[in-house]
Amino acid sequence: MISSKWPLKGLAFAAMASFSALGSALTIDFYSTNVLTGPGIAAGVPVLSVTITDSAPDEVSVTVFNNAPLGTTQTVKTLWLNVDPYPASLRGGSGDSHVDSINWGATADTQGAPMGLTFDVKIEFKTGGPTRIPAQDSSVFTLTGSGLDESDFFTGTPQDADILGVAHVISTVGNEESVHLYAVPEPASIAGMLLGFGAIAARRARKKNSA
């Protein structure tokens, strides 16, 4: 179990994530496995899931699924991810009506990431009324970059190699409640995912050899 590093407004969570790489998709699940303080989120299911798939050369499609119970206001405000290798050019992206902005590089590093962590790309979502990602619904967007594919997102921060991403979830109970969840590979799941890991390792090796 991983202790929460980000107590916010009296609400803090222990979070852990499972990672899967099956077929041509990579999925990072953000879990709340233990409530440290505050009313919290139900344990045992992902709070949100991020699925990344290759959609075109130099482009991936990202689906962020908000797993909040129907009828609740819980939604996702910000998602930070890492990319290795970092695209040398063509960095960009476009999103659906829920996406507010997509920022790469230094902008993603300096705007709001908790605990001094730095990331390569930051996605901001709209949080007002019908523009937010509703409970049990998704936002879909694309990220572009030279040589980019889904295997590049299985990488940690410079500060902690095990942290694959961070998500800022708001309105977990009321409009002013918020929490940061961080995703790491879940040790109990690794044995069942060796095939997917091997495929990712092989793809990354081929990319580096061809560079």
Side-chain angles (χ1 to χ4, degrees):
M1 185 174 295
I2 301 166
S3 296
S4 172
K5 298 181 181 179
W6 301 292
L8 296 175
K9 296 184 180 178
L11 190 63
F13 292 86
M16 102 174 10
S18 65
F19 171 82
S20 63
L22 303 176
S24 60
L26 180 153
T27 300
I28 303 172
D29 291 326
F30 291 78
Y31 282 91
S32 172
T33 57
N34 188 34
V35 177
L36 300 180
T37 61
I41 298 174
V45 296
V47 176
L48 68 147
S49 295
V50 178
T51 302
I52 304 171
T53 58
D54 293 338
S55 53
D58 302 324
E59 180 183 278
V60 297
S61 175
V62 184
T63 301
V64 177
F65 179 71
N66 177 15
N67 200 33
L70 286 172
T72 65
T73 58
Q74 179 178 306
T75 192
V76 185
K77 181 177 181 180
T78 312
L79 175 67
W80 291 269
L81 296 169
N82 298 294
V83 182
D84 183 25
Y86 186 75
S89 60
L90 304 176
R91 294 180 297 274
S94 60
D96 60 16
S97 61
H98 302 301
V99 175
D100 190 34
S101 64
I102 298 172
N103 296 298
W104 286 84
T107 304
D109 288 347
T110 57
Q111 291 189 3
M115 297 298 293
L117 297 173
T118 57
F119 295 88
D120 295 317
V121 62
K122 172 187 177 183
I123 303 93
E124 290 273 14
F125 300 96
K126 298 172 184 176
T127 58
T131 62
R132 64 170 50 203
I133 306 175
Q136 296 296 304
D137 207 342
S138 301
S139 174
V140 180
F141 56 94
T142 60
L143 297 174
T144 56
S146 53
L148 191 66
D149 67 42
E150 85 275 353
S151 66
D152 299 338
F153 293 84
F154 183 52
T155 187
T157 69
Q159 296 80 19
D160 190 328
D162 287 333
I163 296 179
L164 303 180
V166 167
H168 185 191
V169 178
I170 66 168
S171 298
T172 52
V173 176
N175 289 333
E176 295 186 359
E177 299 285 5
S178 67
V179 64
H180 287 85
L181 303 177
Y182 63 96
V184 300
E186 184 178 355
S189 301
I190 291 177
M193 299 175 183
L194 291 178
L195 181 61
F197 288 157
I200 281 183
R203 292 184 62 178
R204 295 184 70 174
R206 288 196 299 270
K207 287 181 68 176
K208 289 183 178 179
N209 290 336
S210 63

